[in-house]
C-alpha cells in the first residue's frame, strides 16, 4: 500500500483551478522530485499532502488516513510523521540553531532536557552543523540555513521528509552538496522524500537522471516514462521524477 495516495485532487484559488483531478501514489522509501516552473502547482501539492490546506474535492491518504476529512487529533498524529523544510528555511531568528532544532522535541515530546540536547546534537551532526548550534540564523550562510532547516525537519524522526525548493538561492556547488546530504539522510534513516524544484534547479538536483522522452499527457492522469537510470512521471504541468539512489 502506498504511503501517500492522491485521488481526483482538485484545488482552486478564487475560482482559478491549480490542480485538476490529480492522481498520484508515492511508495514507502521512494525519493520523489516535483519538477516544474514557478506557479505550476508544486508547492500547492505539497501543502495539500501535509494537510495545511483542504482541497475543493478529492482525497489524500497518508498512511491509510484520508487527511481531507479526518479529525484534528488524527491530523496532529499525521503531522508528527512528516518533517518539512520550507523554501526560505523558516528558522526563528530569535532562537539559536540548536534551539530551532529542539523546538519540535520540546513541544511534542516529554523527553528530559538532557536527552533533547543529545538528540539535537545528533541531528546537527547529521547535517554537518554540530559545531554551529550556538549561532543565530542570521549568522549562518545560505547553505547552512538550509541544513539547519533539514535538521529541524528530521528532529522527530519522521517517515516522510518534504522539501520545498531546498536549493533555491544557493550556488551550484552548495546546492549539489545539499542534494547529496538529502539522499544520504534518506538512505540512512529510511525516509520517503518529496522534493519540489524549479526547472532551473534540475540539472544540479537530478544528477542521476538520464534524459527521457516525454509523451503527450493529460492533467487528469499520471504517465510513466522509463530510462536506464531514472523514472520520470508526467503529471499535469510539472514532472515527477524518482532519481536512482
Amino acid at each position: 500500500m502506498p504511503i501517500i495516495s492522491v485521488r481526483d485532487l482538485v484545488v482552486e484559488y478564487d475560482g482559478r483551478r491549480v490542480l485538476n483531478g490529480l492522481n498520484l501514489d508515492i511508495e514507502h522509501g521512494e525519493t520523489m522530485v516535483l519538477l516544474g516552473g514557478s506557479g505550476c502547482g508544486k508547492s500547492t501539492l505539497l501543502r495539500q499532502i501535509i494537510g495545511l490546506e483542504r482541497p475543493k474535492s478529492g482525497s489524500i491518504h497518508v498512511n491509510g488516513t484520508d487527511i481531507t476529512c479526518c479529525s484534528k487529533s488524527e491530523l496532529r498524529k499525521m503531522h508528527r510523521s512528516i518533517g518539512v523544510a520550507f523554501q526560505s528555511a523558516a528558522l526563528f531568528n530569535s532562537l539559536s540553531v540548536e534551539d530551532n532544532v529542539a523546538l519540535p522535541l520540546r513541544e511534542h515530546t516529554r523527553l528530559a532536557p538532557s536527552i533533547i540536547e543529545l538528540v539535537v546534537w545528533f541531528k546537527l551532526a547529521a547535517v554537518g552543523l554540530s559545531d554551529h548550534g550556538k549561532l543565530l540564523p542570521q549568522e549562518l550562510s545560505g547553505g547552512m540555513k538550509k541544513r539547519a532547516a533539514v535538521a529541524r525537519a528530521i528532529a522527530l524522526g519522521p517517515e516522510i521528509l518534504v522539501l520545498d525548493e531546498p536549493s533555491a538561492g544557493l550556488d551550484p556547488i552548495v546546492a549539489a552538496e545539499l542534494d547529496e546530504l538529502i539522499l544520504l539522510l534518506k538512505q540512512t534513516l529510511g525516509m520517503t522524500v518529496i522534493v519540489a524544484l524549479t526547472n532551473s534547479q534540475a540539472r544540479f538536483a537530478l544528477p542521476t537522471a538520464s534524459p527521457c522522452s516525454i509523451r503527450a499527457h493529460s492533467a487528469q492522469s499520471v504517465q510513466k516514462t522509463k530510462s536506464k537510470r531514472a523514472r520520470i512521471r508526467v503529471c499535469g504541468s510539472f514532472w515527477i521524477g524518482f532519481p536512482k539512489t
Side-chain angles (χ1 to χ4, degrees):
M1 183 173 122
I3 191 171
I4 297 173
S5 182
V6 180
R7 289 291 176 270
D8 302 318
L9 187 67
V10 175
V11 178
E12 292 183 352
Y13 296 119
D14 297 325
R16 177 177 174 268
R17 185 158 295 191
V18 179
L19 298 178
N20 183 29
L22 179 65
N23 293 286
L24 175 66
D25 287 331
I26 304 174
E27 302 296 334
H28 288 264
E30 284 189 316
T31 301
M32 167 176 282
V33 175
L34 308 180
L35 178 61
S38 179
C40 71
K42 304 184 303 296
S43 296
T44 296
L45 178 57
L46 292 185
R47 289 195 296 271
Q48 295 291 325
I49 289 175
I50 64 180
L52 292 184
E53 297 177 354
R54 294 292 177 96
K56 180 179 177 64
S57 63
S59 64
I60 304 171
H61 287 81
V62 179
N63 276 327
T65 300
D66 187 351
I67 64 172
T68 64
C69 59
C70 67
S71 65
K72 290 184 178 179
S73 61
E74 289 176 316
L75 191 60
R76 283 195 297 269
K77 181 179 178 181
M78 184 277 295
H79 281 159
R80 289 197 55 176
S81 69
I82 299 180
V84 182
F86 295 97
Q87 181 176 343
S88 60
L91 300 173
F92 292 98
N93 288 332
S94 60
L95 299 178
S96 66
V97 172
E98 61 184 13
D99 283 334
N100 268 281
V101 178
L103 186 60
L105 294 166
R106 292 168 179 160
E107 290 292 326
H108 299 291
T109 73
R110 297 181 179 179
L111 295 175
S114 58
I115 300 299
I116 290 178
E117 183 178 350
L118 183 60
V119 172
V120 168
W121 186 88
F122 275 117
K123 301 302 180 182
L124 288 176
V127 299
L129 293 178
S130 59
D131 295 330
H132 301 84
K134 300 296 184 182
L135 298 179
L136 293 172
Q138 54 266 35
E139 297 174 309
L140 302 179
S141 67
M144 293 169 72
K145 288 180 181 179
K146 301 284 188 174
R147 287 172 176 263
V150 172
R152 184 177 62 184
I154 64 174
L156 292 173
E159 293 181 74
I160 303 167
L161 179 61
V162 176
L163 305 155
D164 191 2
E165 298 191 26
S167 55
L170 303 180
D171 66 72
I173 295 177
V174 175
E177 291 174 349
L178 184 60
D179 294 335
E180 291 297 325
L181 171 64
I182 292 169
L183 291 176
L184 177 61
L185 290 175
K186 181 260 182 184
Q187 293 168 354
T188 303
L189 303 178
M191 298 179 293
T192 301
V193 180
I194 309 173
V195 187
L197 296 172
T198 62
N199 293 330
S200 61
Q201 298 162 349
R203 59 176 295 192
F204 306 110
L206 294 174
T208 59
S210 295
C212 299
S213 61
I214 304 300
R215 297 191 298 268
H217 62 280
S218 165
Q220 277 82 19
S221 66
V222 174
Q223 299 180 350
K224 296 181 182 179
T225 302
K226 293 183 179 180
S227 73
K228 293 182 179 179
R229 301 178 63 194
R231 290 178 293 153
I232 302 292
R233 290 185 182 182
V234 182
C235 184
S237 57
F238 50 82
W239 295 358
I240 300 181
F242 301 82
K244 183 178 178 181
T245 58

